[in-house]
Amino acid sequence: MNVAIATSPTYTSLSEVFPIKILELNLMCFRLTPEIEKKDGNRLSYHLSRKLPETVVIWHKFHFWLLAAHHRELPSKKELEELLKIIQNEVEDFKEYLFGFQSVPQPQPTPFIYSLLAVQVLNKAKFDSPVVFSDNGIIVTREPDFWAENLELIDEIKAAVTLTIFSSIMFRETLADFYEKHPQRQNPEQFLIGLKVQENERGNNATIVNIIGNIGEYREELLAKATGSISKQALRDAPDAQPIVAIQFGKNTKQFYYPMAALRPCVTSATANLLGVEYGKLLKAAKITHQDRTQLLTSYKKTAKEVLAAYGMELELSINSRDYPNLFWKPLSKLEDTRLLFGNGVTVNRTEILKGLSRGGVYRRHVQFQDKSTVIQIAALKLCDATVSSFLEQLTQRLAKYGFKSQIITKKSLSVKNLAKTEARVAVEKAVHELVEIPHDIVLAFLPESDRHTDDTDEGSFYHQIYSLLLRRQIASQIIYEDTLSNLESYQYILNQVIPGIIAKLGNLPFVLAEPLETADYFIGLDISRISKKRQAGTRNACASVRLYGRQGEFVRYRLEDDLIDGEIIPPKLLERLLPATELANKTVLIYRDGAFVGKEADYLAHRAKAIGAKFILVECKKSGVPRLYNIKQKAVTAPSQGLALCLSSCEAILVTTKVPDTIGLARPIRLTVREQGHQVSIESVLETTLKLTLLHHGALKEPRLPMPLYGSDRMAYLRLQGIRPSVMEGDRQFWL
């Protein structure tokens, strides 16, 4: 495959990945019997690190690795055994263990072990966190973030860390303060259960899943178990009547009991409004300019370098295209020059979608609209003050231009300004029910600007209410906000964005790639989302979805499955339904997983492929924990080129899929990893395929961050875990656009 290296006479590309040079380490390794799993190993490492000054401890594959600063002596076996006993007395979960201690005399640390140790050293460092916004007790700060990386160079595997910056939006007061001021204080279950919170002691995020009683009932019991000084003091000071909450950390189903003064609410659109701060202002303050990012990275790197040096590690220059040209990749031709195929054999560049629709019409009409005399029946539901008659007239004209007859058969206006939210939602529900009594193909809903960012509120948004009511009845919807219709000049822009989406939501296929993709016969997006059920530790409600695309990126169908799954393993029977042999047998299939393959997912898929004579290329696509890439022009940071990639190894890469103006910020790349259990292809072919599959978004002219087999997975999972889904589990319409 032809690729071009991402270097240029005018700019250099660089990353937030910093290699680590290992000098002289004060290192030891030990094992415990009985062996403990990762979750408990990490917890025990944390407690050991807290009790050993200027020393960090990590757990990896049943080994504990301990690194001390140069001027510190390593603890003896006897000292470690005594520390273990102290921790066992303090932490309830470890009390029943009878640990045996075994030193590892000649440990063989890998580069990844070094990376993990470096991250723990950085976790103990004190970085500056400037406050950039403050209002009503809510602050926005700039924080460093770091994680371990493995870097595959030509002749070696290199330890590395990512050092990046993020904006933290934090409520300075405690959950107890939030509770005391809340208007629904007499019914705490109504607003506390499901609330995202942050633990004050270590800053870890969690979710409240239950209220178990009050402080008076549990004070002495919890004081005996508490290990953090903040939690202990909060328990001593709290009034007897204050509720005790049960929280869960991440996917861990174990519940931990906390006093409210030891927690703080995470700031969301819902809590920000309750605290008297406009959420939009917080989001604006959270954006980091190139200049701020450059200055902070320089400062954080200096601190990191000094801290790591004390432990025998040297932080090197970040990976860049000048020193490591072979690690950077970009496609030979510009992404916008990719040819797309429309109806009547018309092909145009990706930047000329509207021209392609005008000249050739859609690539494939849905069976319902194969007869060109069929009229699209449209309803308009208006919940705002905007005038929409002219917009609707232009919309029908534009649809006609692209080969579709349409008619606005119902118009309904509803004022929700002077209604309480509950009353307004009832009125909206009635209005939608009245609309669906008349056959419609699609409903256009015009909503007030105030409805944006209200999904996290107790009542939820009108957007999702309308979407849900229509989706369950197999009726397409298109949501348009009032502010986008502020003037006649903006109509053309909005029409350009929504018309291809309306056409696609009705089952038509506006365009495909003109040249077939060579990597596979089919491309599948696989998403399995789980959510812990409230008050039922150990059970998870899971939903799975697949979307199937052909070699030209043509959408074939979706399939949804709902099941109850204990733990993280997908039963083979679920895979059989999602990946039928009748269609995929003897084919090469690239399967994108939204996030990581967990448990035995990759192994099951490999077995399934073998059983049906297929080749499954298993690709993880991660959106978080991804280092950013930059371009540097004349010593100034600029946005990275669309399509720029950093190959961390022969099976893993960071890819920039979107184009972001310098005035907005930096693109957020994705991380692609080809799993070893599946059929192996080059990482370069996966990069090019992924870029091409981002060009097939029919709901907007701008390319999405994810390839289309995965686009909208988060939104689909969120809706379905709330019980919002189509009435049919398999279909050929892209309802998620």
Side-chain angles (χ1 to χ4, degrees), residues 379-381 383 410 412 414 424-440 443 465-473 475:
L381 174 62
L383 274 63
T410 308
K412 190 171 187 62
L414 177 66
R425 289 180 66 83
V426 170
V428 169
E429 184 178 357
K430 287 180 179 178
V432 172
H433 280 305
E434 289 173 8
L435 286 178
V436 299
E437 288 178 0
I438 304 169
H440 294 100
V443 175
Q465 182 189 16
I466 295 168
Y467 182 88
S468 171
L469 291 169
L470 294 171
L471 183 63
R472 289 187 173 114
R473 292 165 175 80
I475 299 174

Side-chain angles (χ1 to χ4, degrees), residues 149-331:
E149 298 281 4
N150 251 0
L151 195 60
E152 186 180 297
L153 302 178
I154 296 174
D155 54 350
E156 64 175 330
I157 304 295
K158 187 90 170 176
V161 295
T162 286
L163 178 60
T164 187
I165 303 162
F166 72 101
S167 291
S168 173
I169 303 175
M170 188 176 71
F171 184 41
R172 274 182 163 166
E173 296 181 337
T174 68
L175 180 64
D177 300 318
F178 177 74
Y179 164 75
E180 293 294 339
K181 297 174 184 177
H182 201 283
Q184 291 180 291
R185 182 174 174 273
Q186 301 307 316
N187 298 298
E189 292 88 356
Q190 296 298 314
F191 66 93
L192 286 180
I193 293 179
L195 184 70
K196 303 293 182 184
V197 292
Q198 188 177 58
E199 183 204 26
N200 294 345
E201 193 83 45
R202 297 185 292 273
N204 295 325
N205 290 334
T207 303
I208 297 176
V209 294
N210 205 355
I211 296 175
I212 62 155
N214 57 49
I215 288 285
E217 298 174 80
Y218 287 88
R219 193 190 308 270
E220 297 306 318
E221 178 185 339
L222 293 179
L223 272 171
K225 296 178 180 179
T227 58
S229 58
I230 295 177
S231 294
K232 285 184 177 180
Q233 194 60 46
L235 283 164
R236 294 188 188 102
D237 296 342
D240 286 348
Q242 191 178 94
I244 289 282
V245 297
I247 64 173
Q248 288 181 357
F249 294 97
K251 293 182 178 180
N252 185 359
T253 57
K254 181 177 175 60
Q255 295 186 5
F256 297 88
Y257 298 167
Y258 268 76
M260 291 201 295
L263 303 167
R264 63 167 63 93
C266 291
V267 180
T268 64
S269 58
T271 54
N273 292 334
L274 283 171
L275 296 166
V277 178
E278 187 181 326
Y279 193 59
K281 289 183 178 179
L282 296 175
L283 294 179
K284 186 176 181 181
K287 292 187 180 296
I288 306 174
T289 66
H290 292 342
Q291 183 178 2
D292 286 348
R293 188 177 291 276
T294 304
Q295 291 173 350
L296 285 168
L297 271 177
T298 301
S299 170
Y300 290 157
K301 185 191 173 186
K302 181 181 178 183
T303 301
K305 196 166 186 176
E306 292 169 355
V307 172
L308 288 170
Y311 286 80
M313 297 180 177
E314 183 180 325
L315 195 68
E316 299 181 335
L317 290 174
S318 70
I319 296 296
N320 60 79
S321 60
R322 181 195 62 213
D323 298 333
Y324 300 94
N326 293 331
L327 297 185
F328 286 82
W329 175 95
K330 66 179 180 181

Side-chain angles (χ1 to χ4, degrees), residues 2 96 120 198 287 290 299 388 432 468 484 506 565 567 570:
N2 294 322
E96 295 182 2
Q120 292 308 312
Q198 188 177 58
K287 292 187 180 296
H290 292 342
S299 170
V388 301
V432 172
S468 171
T484 61
L506 294 171
I565 299 176
I570 310 170

Side-chain angles (χ1 to χ4, degrees), residues 303-409:
T303 301
K305 196 166 186 176
E306 292 169 355
V307 172
L308 288 170
Y311 286 80
M313 297 180 177
E314 183 180 325
L315 195 68
E316 299 181 335
L317 290 174
S318 70
I319 296 296
N320 60 79
S321 60
R322 181 195 62 213
D323 298 333
Y324 300 94
N326 293 331
L327 297 185
F328 286 82
W329 175 95
K330 66 179 180 181
L332 190 60
S333 58
K334 292 181 179 180
L335 205 56
E336 55 263 34
D337 292 338
T338 304
R339 304 291 286 180
L340 300 179
L341 176 62
F342 293 80
N344 299 314
V346 170
T347 63
V348 298
N349 286 353
R350 174 63 174 81
T351 54
E352 301 175 312
I353 287 175
L354 299 178
K355 182 192 290 187
L357 284 171
S358 298
R359 289 171 48 193
V362 298
Y363 170 76
R364 186 182 71 203
R365 298 176 77 97
H366 190 267
V367 62
Q368 182 182 348
F369 300 102
Q370 281 182 348
D371 183 346
K372 293 187 178 182
S373 66
T374 302
V375 178
I376 299 173
Q377 307 289 324
I378 302 174
L381 174 62
K382 187 166 76 79
L383 274 63
C384 60
D385 294 332
T387 301
V388 301
S389 297
S390 177
F391 177 82
L392 292 173
E393 183 180 344
Q394 293 185 46
L395 182 139
T396 56
Q397 291 173 0
R398 183 69 72 86
L399 285 170
K401 185 178 180 181
Y402 299 152
F404 290 90
K405 293 182 178 181
S406 63
Q407 182 181 1
I408 312 295
I409 61 171

Side-chain angles (χ1 to χ4, degrees), residues 421-478:
K421 192 64 183 281
T422 303
E423 294 173 337
R425 289 180 66 83
V426 170
V428 169
E429 184 178 357
K430 287 180 179 178
V432 172
H433 280 305
E434 289 173 8
L435 286 178
V436 299
E437 288 178 0
I438 304 169
H440 294 100
D441 296 308
I442 189 167
V443 175
L444 306 182
F446 299 88
L447 303 185
E449 171 64 12
S450 59
D451 191 60
R452 290 187 191 267
H453 309 303
T454 59
D455 291 335
D456 293 331
T457 60
D458 291 336
E459 298 90 352
S461 65
F462 293 132
Y463 179 109
H464 273 147
Q465 182 189 16
I466 295 168
Y467 182 88
S468 171
L469 291 169
L470 294 171
L471 183 63
R472 289 187 173 114
R473 292 165 175 80
Q474 291 296 103
I475 299 174
S477 61
Q478 179 67 51

